[in-house]
């Protein structure tokens, strides 16, 4: 038996959330290996995309047993969700996610990443989330 499935077109205001995924290749290794730079980046990003931080960012160094994965991981809660990232010491790659139910500027976010980390290349995915 065939079911009729109604597909609805959602407008920008009807989406539940917005998710920007930035896969950054070949960033400045000195900067991605600096906790202070990552903390300052996070605070600047929160301000630039007009979010409200919930507490201070958590930035910890992980995976020291694996030189190919070792680096700082970041979690910044924001009132509308979170910003996360992992920064790889060995090659300077960075993986940054911004998720918020409040719309934000993809271009402003990419600009802050470029300013702080100078990636050689950025692969970008932007998702509009709705269950």
């Amino acid at each position: 038996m065939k079911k009729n499935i109604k597909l609805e077109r959602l407008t920008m205001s009807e989406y539940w959330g917005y998710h920007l995924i930035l896969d950054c290749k070949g960033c400045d290794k000195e900067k991605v290996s600096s906790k202070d730079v990552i903390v300052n980046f996070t605070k600047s990003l929160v301000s630039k995309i007009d979010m409200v931080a919930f507490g201070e960012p958590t930035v910890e160094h992980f995976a020291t047993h694996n030189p190919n994965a070792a680096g700082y991981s970041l979690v910044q809660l924001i009132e509308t969700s979170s910003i996360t990232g992992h920064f790889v010491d060995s090659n300077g790659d960075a993986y940054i996610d911004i998720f918020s139910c409040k719309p934000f500027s993809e271009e402003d976010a990419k600009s802050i990443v470029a300013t702080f980390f100078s990636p050689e290349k950025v692969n970008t995915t932007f998702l509009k989330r709705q269950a």
Side-chain angles (χ1 to χ4, degrees), residues 33-52:
S33 299
S34 168
K35 182 175 184 174
D36 290 338
V37 170
I38 294 169
V39 167
N40 289 333
F41 155 74
T42 305
K43 291 179 178 189
S44 294
L45 176 63
V46 167
S47 175
K48 183 74 171 178
I49 63 173
D50 194 32
M51 297 296 163
V52 177

Side-chain angles (χ1 to χ4, degrees), residues 18-114:
Y18 308 90
H19 189 169
L20 177 61
I21 302 166
L22 300 171
D23 296 337
C24 306
K25 182 163 187 61
C27 297
D28 182 318
K29 288 182 189 179
E30 188 174 312
K31 291 179 179 178
V32 299
S33 299
S34 168
K35 182 175 184 174
D36 290 338
V37 170
I38 294 169
V39 167
N40 289 333
F41 155 74
T42 305
K43 291 179 178 189
S44 294
L45 176 63
V46 167
S47 175
K48 183 74 171 178
I49 63 173
D50 194 32
M51 297 296 163
V52 177
F54 183 80
E56 293 295 311
T58 298
V59 180
E60 297 294 335
H61 201 265
F62 286 104
T64 56
H65 62 284
N66 181 350
N68 294 323
Y72 281 100
S73 286
L74 151 73
V75 176
Q76 173 65 68
L77 297 178
I78 55 177
E79 285 188 354
T80 52
S81 199
S82 64
I83 298 167
T84 61
H86 185 70
F87 303 84
V88 184
D89 293 338
S90 65
N91 60 14
D93 291 352
Y95 301 90
I96 301 165
D97 288 73
I98 304 166
F99 182 69
S100 174
C101 58
K102 175 185 173 185
F104 59 92
S105 168
E106 179 181 347
E107 293 307 314
D108 285 348
K110 291 192 297 189
S111 170
I112 291 292
V113 169

